[in-house]
Amino acid sequence: MTPLETKDAWMSYQWEQGGGLPGVIVLLSDNDDNNSNDVEMVKTQKKNGKRRLFPIWMEEAIVDDNDDDNKSNKQAQEETIRYKVTDTGLFSTELENNSHSALVCYYRGLGCHFSS
């Protein structure tokens, strides 16, 4: 798989579906709070969106996605995505909003690397 294909699979499985966590419901939303349901809105949700995880009420947002850098080059050597916790939900006594983030990198021939 190319880094782009790997990233797309991660977005589908982890970001949109909760990564297989039992009992977790994921609600996607757009950072711009646009309520449109067209194809462009779905692309925006994936690229610049937020998600809320239930039942813990935690909200995460994608803050950086290198898709624009690699649009013309599907064989890019690296793809990245950065997201952060924007609302700690039920963990508000243990965590501060915007205090946790993660960077996920996909490299050709080296797989995936996750750092926080």
Side-chain angles (χ1 to χ4, degrees):
M1 291 179 74
T2 68
L4 181 59
E5 291 168 334
T6 305
K7 182 174 120 180
D8 287 346
W10 183 90
M11 287 296 295
S12 175
Y13 180 71
Q14 176 65 34
W15 188 260
E16 297 170 23
Q17 300 173 34
L21 293 173
V24 172
I25 299 170
V26 176
L27 295 180
L28 298 174
S29 66
D30 180 18
N31 278 340
D32 296 329
D33 295 325
N34 179 352
N35 292 323
S36 171
N37 287 324
D38 62 13
V39 172
E40 286 303 312
M41 178 61 187
V42 172
K43 289 179 185 175
T44 301
Q45 285 175 341
K46 289 182 179 182
K47 182 177 176 194
N48 299 318
K50 295 179 182 178
R51 70 178 189 168
R52 186 160 300 268
L53 306 173
F54 292 97
I56 60 173
W57 291 84
M58 182 178 286
E59 182 181 78
E60 297 174 322
I62 296 173
V63 293
D64 185 30
D65 182 345
N66 74 336
D67 262 358
D68 290 337
D69 301 336
N70 293 321
K71 267 187 184 174
S72 62
N73 183 6
K74 289 209 172 228
Q75 299 301 317
Q77 297 298 312
E78 175 183 337
E79 288 283 331
T80 63
I81 190 161
R82 180 180 299 277
Y83 64 97
K84 68 178 179 177
V85 174
T86 54
D87 183 343
T88 57
L90 295 179
F91 294 112
S92 62
T93 58
E94 289 86 22
L95 302 174
E96 293 182 26
N97 289 343
N98 298 306
S99 65
H100 288 70
S101 67
L103 175 66
V104 184
C105 301
Y106 312 90
Y107 300 104
R108 179 172 295 285
L110 299 174
C112 178
H113 176 73
F114 175 84
S115 64
S116 56

